[in-house]
Amino acid sequence: MNVVMHRLKPTLFALSSFLLYVVLLFLLFPHTGGGLGALVVIPATAFSWFFSTRTALMLNILLVFPVNTLLFNLAAGQCRWDILIVHNGIPGSIALILTGLFISYVRNLRDAHKKMQMQLEEKNRQIMMITHSIVHDLKNPLAGFENLFNLLDGCIDSEPELKELIGSAIVSLRYINELLDELMCVARYETGMKKIKVSDNNLPELLCEVETIFRGQLDEKKILFETNLKENILAGDPDELKKVLMNLIGNAIKYCGDAQNPRVWVSSELSENRVLVRVADNGIGIPESERATIFTKFARASNVGSIHGTGLGLAICKAIIEAHHGTIWCESTEGKGCSFCFFLPVIESQNYRSD
Amino acid sequence: MQPKKVLIIDDEALIRKTTELLLKRQNVTAVSSANGTDGLAAAISEKPDLILLDVMMPGENGWEVLRKLKQNSDCAKIPVIMYTAIGDEVTESSARERGAKGILRKPFQMHHFLTMLECSGMEEK
């Protein structure tokens, strides 16, 4: 589909430019140049299917004038340079100049747009680089503080008030740590520092690892964890895919709400050469108006209440899935739960196998 | 059972000292060095059961120290765990590829560490 669009675009562009040229010829001189030119313009435009717009333009110019001249001479039965110059040459030149101006105007617009987009991307990259280095420098001392508080926590049993304060300081430090980790992860993707290593992964194994991590929380909240896997191979970076599953399953557990029989279920299936993975729950769900923005950085649904979160988890999932050329989206009915689905292409694993 | 001995190689004094104290509390003998050169010497002389090695250090970084540890016949067999504050920088698989036993995230996570310590003991036997 992309290949067709890629070729269709310059063709349509060239076709419209030269139709403009023909129309101008017709307007300026209806009986000769325009009509004959049209015979040549349309087949010549077909060239742009195989070449770039610029090449097609050159071919058209090279073809339209000599063929027009030839056809006119044949029609007139003699060589009439005066008519050729007056009836074909002058309006033709004006039409070509106008077409050229039109094309360069469109090109300039497009280039300016591209340039601006590149500048914005570069600015974003720079901001993320700064974020990355700040986070980097903060992590080590913070880890030291948390160690220190943990030490203090173990030796001040005689002062319960102080112990409580230290307990909440540790909770805060853990939150900051989590936030910094996630910020770092986003920064790595947005600066292009993150390189993913694709391999074939066993989805049941990945899920088993994730389930082990959350076993305590699942038991504590009496959540039923189920899987229904019709496709077991998931191509991608194992560490990164685990991060996605951890985020999605972690969210499903975190926002389970007060459902009667809380459930989290994961399913997978093969669909049109892509693997579809779905992580669903019957928790609090996400309001419809917020579903589109839920993957942006620091976005949190309005119904989360006091449940803590950084608002970066889903942004990370999106960055990871997109780095794997996949797509991720959310389906939800507020109050009845939601499911997060992602598609990952199978093609990559085939490439990987042939490597 | 004789207490296990762990060597911590980290340039940050706060991390080094607090980790040392946290380990001592678990009845684990801890020694530490502030850089790779001292760390290598300590690994040979102290013969620890496990080495906790920081990744980001000025001068020789953790990976270079790891390479030297693995090249030295006196300490090549001591399991090394990369000790890192940057969760995303070092992955479990990349650490294993370079000869480490695994990674431990800073701040120090006691339960993760104790599992690793137990595993390292079992592998030796």
Side-chain angles (χ1 to χ4, degrees):
Chain A
M1 192 62 200
N2 271 342
V3 178
V4 174
M5 278 313 291
H6 183 73
R7 291 197 157 171
L8 201 60
K9 252 160 95 183
T11 311
L12 288 174
F13 185 60
L15 187 66
S16 54
S17 307
F18 291 104
L19 283 179
L20 179 74
Y21 165 60
V22 174
V23 169
L24 281 167
L25 275 180
F26 262 121
L27 288 176
L28 291 163
F29 196 79
H31 300 297
T32 51
L36 296 171
L39 291 174
V40 192
V41 166
I42 293 165
T45 307
F47 278 106
S48 56
W49 182 267
F50 302 102
F51 305 104
S52 70
T53 316
R54 193 170 299 179
T55 319
L57 175 68
M58 290 310 292
L59 278 169
N60 272 284
I61 293 168
L62 288 174
L63 282 169
V64 171
F65 268 109
V67 176
N68 254 1
T69 311
L70 186 71
L71 289 174
F72 185 87
N73 279 344
L74 285 175
Q78 56 176 308
C79 190
R80 291 280 305 274
W81 292 108
D82 54 333
I83 289 181
L84 267 177
I85 292 163
V86 176
H87 293 174
N88 199 356
I90 294 171
S93 306
I94 296 167
L96 259 186
I97 289 165
L98 288 175
T99 317
L101 283 175
F102 171 70
I103 291 175
S104 73
Y105 172 71
V106 174
R107 268 182 195 276
N108 280 344
L109 263 183
R110 206 179 46 180
D111 288 351
H113 178 75
K114 235 184 225 169
K115 202 174 157 192
M116 194 138 78
Q117 207 171 4
M118 270 167 66
Q119 278 173 344
L120 276 175
E121 274 167 20
E122 177 57 24
K123 278 272 175 288
N124 188 41
R125 213 181 60 83
Q126 282 172 0
I127 292 169
M128 280 296 154
M129 288 289 257
I130 296 166
T131 311
H132 188 268
S133 68
I134 292 173
V135 171
H136 199 273
D137 292 347
L138 277 175
K139 286 281 298 180
N140 243 326
L142 261 177
F145 293 151
E146 198 176 323
N147 277 354
L148 192 63
F149 278 118
N150 277 327
L151 273 171
L152 285 174
D153 190 43
C155 59
I156 49 151
D157 292 337
S158 55
E159 291 189 59
E161 267 179 52
L162 191 58
K163 197 175 160 71
E164 203 185 312
L165 279 178
I166 285 177
S168 53
I170 293 173
V171 172
S172 305
L173 274 172
R174 283 200 186 136
Y175 171 73
I176 299 172
N177 237 315
E178 186 188 346
L179 179 68
L180 291 180
D181 271 339
E182 293 187 342
L183 207 52
M184 185 84 133
C185 184
V186 172
R188 287 189 157 257
Y189 272 99
E190 294 200 359
T191 50
M193 287 159 94
K194 184 76 197 174
K195 299 276 175 281
I196 55 167
K197 281 191 203 159
V198 178
S199 63
D200 275 349
N201 302 288
N202 186 298
L203 183 58
E205 270 174 30
L206 277 179
L207 281 171
C208 188
E209 283 176 45
V210 177
E211 194 191 335
T212 315
I213 294 166
F214 288 117
R215 196 66 258 171
Q217 290 183 47
L218 287 165
D219 290 343
E220 192 189 317
K221 293 188 167 184
K222 297 193 174 62
I223 297 172
L224 186 65
F225 184 78
E226 294 170 309
T227 54
N228 175 21
L229 308 177
K230 288 179 188 145
E231 174 61 34
N232 287 337
I233 303 294
L234 203 56
D237 190 310
D239 293 314
E240 300 307 295
L241 292 180
K242 204 170 135 185
K243 233 181 254 172
V244 174
L245 292 170
M246 278 193 58
N247 262 309
L248 297 183
I249 295 171
N251 279 350
I253 296 171
K254 199 152 89 177
Y255 303 109
C256 70
D258 40 15
Q260 276 295 312
N261 299 302
R263 274 175 76 208
V264 174
W265 65 102
V266 183
S267 61
S268 71
E269 62 187 274
L270 202 61
S271 155
E272 292 169 21
N273 223 17
R274 295 178 297 180
V275 182
L276 170 69
V277 179
R278 181 186 294 265
V279 178
D281 63 62
N282 55 354
I284 60 173
I286 295 167
E288 189 176 351
S289 58
E290 294 164 29
R291 231 162 286 157
T293 51
I294 199 73
F295 291 99
T296 42
K297 275 175 277 184
F298 301 109
R300 297 198 68 211
S302 56
N303 58 342
V304 293
S306 60
I307 307 171
H308 110 101
T310 59
L312 285 170
L314 288 175
I316 291 173
C317 291
K318 189 171 190 287
I320 294 175
I321 295 296
E322 284 177 357
H324 284 81
H325 308 291
T327 41
I328 185 166
W329 71 97
C330 159
E331 293 164 6
S332 169
T333 317
E334 193 183 357
K336 286 186 178 171
C338 62
S339 50
F340 281 89
C341 315
F342 62 85
F343 265 131
L344 279 184
V346 178
I347 307 143
E348 298 221 0
S349 73
Q350 285 164 349
N351 286 345
Y352 175 77
R353 270 186 222 118
S354 64
D355 278 346
Chain B
M1 199 179 86
Q2 210 188 340
K4 297 250 185 176
K5 191 189 268 181
V6 174
L7 169 66
I8 304 151
I9 308 175
D10 198 315
D11 61 302
E12 287 239 6
L14 185 62
I15 298 271
R16 207 166 59 230
K17 291 289 169 200
T18 50
T19 310
E20 224 178 282
L21 287 171
L22 281 165
L23 286 178
K24 278 180 184 159
R25 204 181 266 177
Q26 296 290 320
N27 208 17
V28 174
T29 315
V31 283
S32 65
S33 310
N35 58 55
T37 320
D38 292 352
L40 190 65
I44 296 165
S45 63
E46 299 277 344
K47 304 228 174 310
D49 297 293
L50 192 76
I51 298 172
L52 275 184
L53 177 57
D54 182 28
V55 180
M56 296 286 289
M57 288 192 285
E60 267 180 324
N61 71 27
W63 300 118
E64 285 159 25
V65 179
L66 176 67
R67 196 169 45 83
K68 285 193 177 167
L69 283 169
K70 291 293 159 196
Q71 277 170 356
N72 194 311
S73 58
D74 290 324
C75 52
K77 282 195 177 154
I78 304 171
V80 179
I81 286 171
M82 304 311 288
Y83 193 30
T84 173
I86 319 296
D88 217 38
E89 195 165 57
V90 187
T91 59
E92 197 83 32
S93 44
S94 72
R96 286 215 189 92
E97 263 168 39
R98 302 193 201 199
K101 271 277 169 283
I103 57 170
L104 185 71
R105 298 269 158 82
K106 295 177 199 172
F108 190 80
Q109 296 149 310
M110 189 55 81
H111 58 288
H112 282 174
F113 174 76
L114 291 176
T115 334
M116 282 178 174
L117 194 62
E118 265 172 44
C119 290
S120 74
M122 281 194 295
E123 273 171 40
E124 277 163 37
K125 284 162 202 164

